[in-house]
Amino acid sequence: MGVKRPDNQLRLAFAEESAGEARPLAAQEVESSTAACETERPVKPVMELMEAICNPENLSRAYGQVLANKGSAGVDGMTVHQLREHLKAHWPEIRKQLLGGTYRPIPVRRAEIPKPDGGVRKLGIPTVLDRLIQQAILQVLTPLWEPTFSTHSYGFRPKRSAHQAVAAAQAYIAEGRTWVVDLDLEKFFDRVNHDRLMARLASRVADKRLLRLLRAYLNAGVMENGLVSPTREGTPQGGPLSPLLSNIVLDELDRELEHRGHAFVRYADDCNIYVRSDKAGQRVMKSVSDFITRRLKLKVNESKSAVDRPSRRKFLGFTIAEGAKPQRRIAPQARKRFREKVRELTRRTRGVDAKRMVSDLTVYLRGWVGYFGFCETPWELRDLDGWIRRRLRAVAWKHWKRGPTRCRELMRRGIPRDDAVNAAWRFHNPWRAGRSIALSKALPQTLWDRLGLLRLYAP
């Protein structure tokens, strides 16, 4: 289902006093002045961007995007479903503050989510209103920078994806660059230098009102445990603007690596440089780390960065095996997380029936295979498929609990009495039972197909 279009009343709220506003910037207009992507990528600063941001058409698109993204409430408790009525009542005053340069964002709400490799990632959740304004700003600023970003940058960019980044890395390895300099930036989003970022923004934004607003978003502060802490550095993850700001910061790194002639791939703060020898990799690691520390005022995480073979390093969930034809494989860490999630969804203590369990599992599998199906090792998918079916059979065995019940359930599913009795009293361990011939016949793949279980591998 598509996003519901804003109703006429809301569009009228956005349109109040809009006569004479600048229309949104078109990408073609920016590209014409930046077509020659030289090392410094010079662009003439643009005035009157706040009028483009407050343009009704731009705001309607931003509103639709905020609705589609959903997300939780900020510190004021307002949900995306309450935003419509708030805008109808207060938009004229909000618009006046934006155009007058007096609007002040509300501090973001701290939220923590676990990282796949341990630890937590700290997010800053803006209010729904601030998410709307940030999205409107993003739609105007993106055409100013997007045409001049490096072709080696893939993260959070239109028509670019993690799969393209992995394929680019694979191509470098196929060329004989069989060593990788794997750079991990320590707490990147928390360490971005505000002054350097604002200087880069000012190189293309001449509208002082927008620059003040962007600085206000950077300094809005974080509310945690009822207390607001100031933010003197960093771009809190969680708002629409954060990905673009991170690319603007790291575009300087891209330009430096291009100037040095390196073969590299960057996805957000994950950067891999491909070289032909361990010695070259060690040299590149030292010089690039020095540049990141000295020029960008950021820090390289030495414990997570390394010079190694690509097959021993993880990049966006994949490893790439060297050879005459490098092959994309699912990284061991990704397989481990997959198994942990499947175990969580198929816990016997969840208290749901088989149909609901399979339904919940299929939702996860569909998203997972949509990403990791990009691997070139079908046997990995086939093995995981078999493991899932065995896991589900083991869960059924646990549900049946006792020998007489197990025997009766096996016979009800067509297993001969002697085989059913033998299996029911022989296999006390559910995992071992999941591999038994009797249970495999009683609960075959066709059964899981009828329940709607998605197959990871279909030959």
Side-chain angles (χ1 to χ4, degrees):
M1 298 253 331
V3 178
K4 185 178 179 181
R5 293 178 63 84
D7 61 24
N8 291 336
Q9 190 175 352
L10 182 59
R11 291 178 67 86
L12 286 174
F14 282 146
E16 276 192 23
E17 303 178 21
S18 62
E21 282 186 4
R23 58 189 172 86
L25 295 176
Q28 296 90 333
E29 295 171 2
V30 178
E31 289 174 4
S32 63
S33 63
T34 61
C37 293
E38 300 174 1
T39 303
E40 292 302 319
R41 300 186 175 95
V43 176
K44 183 179 179 181
V46 181
M47 293 289 292
E48 298 183 348
L49 288 176
M50 284 305 302
E51 279 73 19
I53 290 165
C54 292
N55 181 280
E57 182 182 343
N58 184 56
L59 287 164
S60 293
R61 286 199 298 124
Y63 176 78
Q65 190 62 52
V66 170
L67 281 184
N69 291 342
K70 300 180 182 178
S72 56
V75 298
D76 62 354
M78 185 189 302
T79 67
V80 291
H81 303 295
Q82 296 169 322
L83 178 60
R84 181 193 304 267
E85 295 303 319
H86 181 79
L87 290 172
K88 289 176 182 176
H90 300 286
W91 175 249
E93 178 58 28
I94 296 168
R95 177 182 176 279
K96 181 179 178 181
Q97 292 176 12
L98 288 170
L99 294 178
T102 61
Y103 180 84
R104 289 295 174 265
I106 298 175
V108 299
R109 178 174 63 84
R110 174 67 76 208
E112 295 183 349
I113 60 172
K115 289 184 177 180
D117 53 354
V120 296
R121 175 176 287 111
K122 293 186 176 182
L123 301 182
I125 309 300
T127 64
V128 178
L129 175 60
D130 280 325
R131 293 211 293 273
L132 170 70
I133 296 171
Q134 285 194 31
Q135 180 65 35
I137 294 172
L138 175 69
Q139 291 168 181
V140 169
L141 289 188
T142 295
L144 290 176
W145 265 276
E146 177 59 31
T148 63
F149 279 149
S150 170
T151 57
H152 301 273
S153 167
Y154 293 86
F156 310 119
R157 296 183 59 190
K159 299 181 181 179
R160 290 191 157 233
S161 67
H163 285 173
Q164 291 174 336
V166 173
Q170 186 179 13
Y172 285 136
I173 296 167
E175 292 174 359
R177 304 175 190 273
T178 55
W179 289 84
V180 60
V181 181
D182 187 354
L183 289 166
D184 182 271
L185 300 182
E186 186 173 304
K187 297 181 178 178
F188 166 71
F189 287 93
D190 298 329
R191 295 180 182 273
V192 169
N193 184 282
H194 287 181
D195 291 335
R196 288 186 58 80
L197 174 55
M198 289 306 303
R200 295 188 65 77
L201 288 166
S203 70
R204 301 189 190 184
V205 175
D207 192 323
K208 301 299 183 184
R209 299 165 299 175
L210 178 54
L211 290 174
R212 283 197 299 271
L213 180 57
L214 291 169
R215 171 73 82 167
Y217 273 120
L218 292 174
N219 296 335
V222 176
M223 178 174 284
E224 192 170 11
N225 299 322
L227 299 175
V228 176
S229 303
T231 48
R232 297 185 176 89
E233 63 178 5
T235 59
Q237 298 181 72
L241 269 176
S242 185
L244 175 64
L245 296 181
S246 68
N247 274 333
I248 291 173
V249 170
L250 292 175
D251 187 54
E252 189 171 357
L253 172 62
D254 295 342
R255 290 208 317 268
E256 179 66 18
L257 295 178
E258 287 174 348
H259 179 71
R260 297 183 184 189
H262 288 310
F264 71 98
V265 180
R266 183 178 67 78
Y267 191 95
D269 58 337
D270 198 348
C271 183
N272 279 5
I273 306 170
Y274 294 88
V275 296
R276 298 182 184 276
S277 69
D278 181 25
K279 185 176 180 180
Q282 298 295 342
R283 185 175 63 251
V284 169
M285 173 68 83
K286 184 180 184 308
S287 63
V288 174
S289 296
D290 289 345
F291 174 83
I292 290 171
T293 303
R294 178 175 46 84
R295 286 286 300 276
L296 302 186
K297 310 300 181 185
L298 298 170
K299 186 177 180 181
V300 174
N301 189 331
E302 295 182 3
S303 65
K304 293 185 177 180
S305 301
V307 178
D308 207 341
R309 296 288 191 180
S311 58
R312 294 196 288 261
R313 302 298 296 180
K314 172 176 66 71
F315 183 52
L316 301 177
F318 295 91
T319 60
I320 302 174
E322 310 95 78
K325 188 177 180 181
Q327 195 176 50
R328 298 186 297 269
R329 296 182 177 178
I330 303 170
Q333 302 94 318
R335 291 199 301 270
K336 180 182 177 181
R337 290 196 299 272
F338 173 83
R339 290 174 184 265
E340 289 173 350
K341 183 64 177 179
V342 171
R343 288 190 185 100
E344 177 187 334
L345 291 171
T346 57
R347 289 194 321 271
R348 178 173 62 94
T349 55
R350 283 190 65 201
V352 298
D353 60 19
K355 188 172 183 179
R356 170 66 185 278
M357 185 176 288
V358 167
S359 175
D360 293 346
L361 183 58
T362 295
V363 171
Y364 172 69
L365 295 180
R366 185 172 288 111
W368 189 89
V369 78
Y371 183 77
F372 286 102
F374 188 59
C375 73
E376 296 176 312
T377 48
W379 57 266
E380 289 185 297
L381 300 176
R382 185 173 59 247
D383 287 352
L384 289 174
D385 246 346
W387 177 82
I388 291 170
R389 292 194 297 272
R390 183 178 176 184
R391 171 79 185 170
L392 290 170
R393 290 194 296 268
V395 170
W397 199 250
K398 288 180 183 178
H399 274 293
W400 295 341
K401 294 183 180 179
R402 301 177 183 276
T405 303
R406 290 168 174 172
C407 182
R408 184 172 62 252
E409 292 293 340
L410 290 174
M411 292 174 60
R412 191 164 69 87
R413 289 166 172 79
I415 305 302
R417 179 181 177 82
D418 289 347
D419 293 342
V421 170
N422 181 48
W425 296 104
R426 178 183 178 188
F427 295 108
H428 299 290
N429 184 301
W431 186 242
R432 288 186 61 193
R435 193 174 56 180
S436 68
I437 295 175
L439 195 54
S440 297
K441 288 182 177 179
L443 303 175
Q445 176 62 53
T446 53
L447 168 67
W448 306 116
D449 288 342
R450 288 198 303 271
L451 289 175
L453 180 66
L454 180 72
R455 296 194 188 196
L456 301 180
Y457 174 74

